[in-house]
Amino acid sequence: MSPHALLLETLETNACRFRLVEHPSAGKSVEVALARGTEVGQGAKALICSSTHTDGSVQFVLAVLAADRKLSTSQLAEHLGAKKIRLVSADKANELTGCVVGAIPPFSFNEELKLVADPELFERYSEIAFNAGRLDRSIILNSNDYLRVARPVLTKIAEQ
């Protein structure tokens, strides 16, 4: 099942309040927000990172934050007890999610990916928006439904 189909099935099965929006493919958060009709900050930016620990082990993380914020690798490292955080390659992100970079939704369907989200996104917006496993489709989802279904670990990982 494609990531797009799996995402829709998950949202429908869990009675989530959402809208599917079709739009032209866009590469930047500002362009996608315009196409969706949402604020840039509503965008749930999903970044795939690797964390390296002092014992040499590596953990993969799906970090979710508002699209108008930057990832604080130091805060994420502190939360995970890691010595180093880095973004993975586009190929590795595709391998872990089945999606191209830019289309990754803020849901982890891979047990290798720990889901961590910055709570500010859900405090600022009652609905979040994100690409739905495809560059030409987005979902606008009730924030409480996202938290209920995705069950991310909530911790401060964003900086302005």
Side-chain angles (χ1 to χ4, degrees):
M1 182 178 291
S2 74
H4 177 72
L6 181 57
L7 179 61
L8 289 176
E9 180 181 276
T10 299
L11 297 177
E12 290 167 356
T13 300
N14 288 283
C16 292
R17 293 161 286 180
F18 74 96
R19 300 184 302 284
L20 181 64
V21 179
E22 293 189 34
H23 53 77
S25 295
K28 299 195 182 288
S29 298
V30 173
E31 295 167 354
V32 175
L34 281 171
R36 293 177 183 141
T38 59
E39 293 181 34
V40 175
Q42 271 181 281
K45 180 167 39 179
L47 303 173
I48 309 297
C49 305
S50 66
S51 63
T52 305
H53 300 266
T54 53
D55 65 0
S57 64
V58 175
Q59 178 180 32
F60 295 105
V61 179
L62 173 55
V64 177
L65 59 152
D68 62 352
R69 301 290 190 248
K70 291 175 65 174
L71 176 65
S72 169
T73 56
S74 61
Q75 288 177 324
L76 182 56
E78 183 178 330
H79 170 75
L80 296 170
K83 67 177 186 174
K84 184 177 181 182
I85 300 287
R86 66 178 184 84
L87 293 176
V88 302
S89 69
D91 287 342
K92 186 65 176 179
N94 183 274
E95 177 188 323
L96 290 167
T97 66
C99 300
V100 298
V101 172
I104 300 169
F107 285 81
S108 177
F109 297 114
N110 181 337
E111 61 189 34
E112 287 185 71
L113 270 178
K114 178 182 178 79
L115 181 59
V116 177
D118 191 291
E120 180 202 26
L121 174 61
F122 315 105
E123 294 162 1
R124 288 171 59 197
Y125 298 101
S126 61
E127 291 183 318
I128 61 170
F130 51 90
N131 279 16
R134 295 173 47 162
L135 292 172
D136 63 347
R137 291 196 180 162
S138 290
I139 288 178
I140 301 171
L141 173 64
N142 177 277
S143 293
N144 289 329
D145 286 345
Y146 170 77
L147 293 170
R148 174 177 56 86
V149 174
R151 298 192 331 239
V153 173
L154 295 174
T155 191
K156 179 96 175 107
I157 57 170
E159 58 187 46
Q160 295 199 14

